[in-house]
Amino acid sequence: MRVIPRLDIKNENVIKGINFEGLRVVGNPNKIAKKYYEDGADELIYSDCVASLYGRNSLTELVKNAVKDIFIPITIAGGIRSEVDANLLMKSGSDKLAINSELFSNEKLANLLVQKFGSQSIVLSIQAKKITKNSWEAYKNFGRDKTGMDVMDWVKKMTKYNFGELLLTSIDADGICGGFDVELFEKVSKIVKIPIIACGGFGKLDHIKELKKYANIDAIALSKALHYEKITIKEIKDFIKKLDE
């Protein structure tokens, strides 16, 4: 199971909130990213959390600077609306692009990007909010806007585009550090064959054990527990190694 720090970025700062709200500044993205790289992160996710809202992605320069010192895969999320946006980010040094909001109005973008860059470089991003005990709605624009689409239906609809991975985020669990939405990941892992990155809810090592027990997860993405130094990447990786033995 890969360990992937997620850096939510607004106005060139790493920020963190709870349920995607009440955002607070944490620090400089590239300093934080470099520390996580040196601490043994497998990959990094940079997410421009206002890009879709303002119709732009501002991470190009950040990525250019990051790749000078960081030699693990970097995934960029937020504001990717066209082949032009994707080209800019890939030329800047991104390894993967995660797409969410634009797909609800332009499904063809999925096929276009997968054809151009290959499945291994294009990640389907889904932000899920629980509606009832067994159902979730997909959200867009960094969890701001409802789509009216059931998450399971959306996952099934999107699988035909051959995404390389699924970045699945629980809005309800985000920033609370109270554990993963295990039911969400269990249900989705039964209907997709591509690797799933579970995001939202990590707070302590037993949360990984619980998730692993019920869902087939390839990676976890986390932020708050690392940003506030509640745990180290090494502790997480050592724990995962023991679970696998």
Side-chain angles (χ1 to χ4, degrees):
M1 186 184 281
R2 291 168 290 149
V3 178
I4 308 176
R6 187 185 98 201
L7 282 66
D8 294 332
I9 296 166
K10 181 182 179 183
N11 301 331
E12 298 185 0
N13 288 307
V14 173
I15 50 91
K16 188 61 203 164
I18 293 175
N19 310 133
F20 287 17
E21 295 179 347
L23 306 175
R24 294 182 177 181
V25 173
V26 176
N28 177 276
N30 286 341
K31 282 184 182 174
I32 293 170
K34 190 176 179 188
K35 180 185 186 301
Y36 293 156
Y37 162 63
E38 290 169 348
D39 288 349
D42 294 301
E43 301 183 20
L44 292 168
I45 295 171
Y46 278 45
S47 174
D48 187 331
C49 61
V50 292
S52 294
L53 185 68
Y54 296 135
R56 55 104 179 105
N57 186 297
S58 61
L59 298 183
T60 310
E61 290 305 314
L62 276 176
V63 177
K64 279 182 184 174
N65 289 325
V67 296
K68 294 173 186 173
D69 301 308
I70 294 168
F71 305 99
I72 53 175
I74 295 175
T75 299
I76 300 297
I80 301 162
R81 300 168 309 283
S82 66
E83 186 178 352
V84 173
D85 295 331
N87 271 329
L88 271 174
L89 288 165
M90 293 302 259
K91 283 178 181 174
S92 300
S94 309
D95 297 281
K96 303 177 192 177
L97 304 175
I99 320 291
N100 175 31
S101 301
E102 184 66 20
L103 293 176
F104 291 96
S105 57
N106 180 17
E107 276 187 42
K108 290 179 181 176
L109 181 64
N111 192 52
L112 192 154
L113 296 184
V114 167
Q115 291 295 320
K116 175 152 190 180
F117 298 107
S119 291
Q120 77 287 345
S121 297
I122 308 300
V123 179
L124 171 62
S125 173
I126 296 178
Q127 296 160 359
K129 191 171 181 63
K130 187 170 269 194
I131 306 302
T132 67
K133 190 172 185 293
N134 288 306
S135 69
W136 296 259
E137 183 177 350
Y139 272 60
K140 61 181 182 178
N141 297 330
F142 201 68
R144 289 181 195 86
D145 300 323
K146 295 181 177 185
T147 64
M149 178 67 72
D150 177 80
V151 165
M152 303 307 148
D153 291 341
W154 186 239
V155 168
K156 290 170 186 171
K157 190 174 187 182
M158 288 291 106
T159 51
K160 66 184 177 187
Y161 291 112
N162 296 318
F163 288 94
E165 290 179 287
L166 168 59
L167 171 61
L168 180 58
T169 304
S170 166
I171 296 173
D172 305 283
D174 178 75
I176 294 174
C177 297
F180 295 95
D181 183 344
V182 175
E183 291 89 356
L184 169 66
F185 294 107
E186 182 183 14
K187 268 193 116 171
V188 172
S189 68
K190 286 177 179 173
I191 59 176
V192 297
K193 293 178 181 176
I194 58 174
I196 298 172
I197 304 166
C199 188
F202 175 83
K204 60 183 181 180
L205 295 171
D206 278 346
H207 292 155
I208 298 173
K209 189 176 181 180
E210 181 77 0
L211 180 66
K212 226 171 143 52
K213 185 177 174 184
Y214 294 101
N216 182 21
I217 299 299
D218 193 74
I220 57 165
L222 63 161
S223 48
K224 190 173 185 178
L226 290 178
H227 294 343
Y228 294 104
E229 299 180 346
K230 308 276 186 195
I231 199 162
T232 66
I233 291 170
K234 185 180 186 304
E235 286 172 313
I236 297 168
K237 294 187 88 167
D238 287 346
F239 181 79
I240 292 169
K241 193 174 177 183
K242 283 181 185 174
L243 283 181
D244 290 338
E245 285 173 357

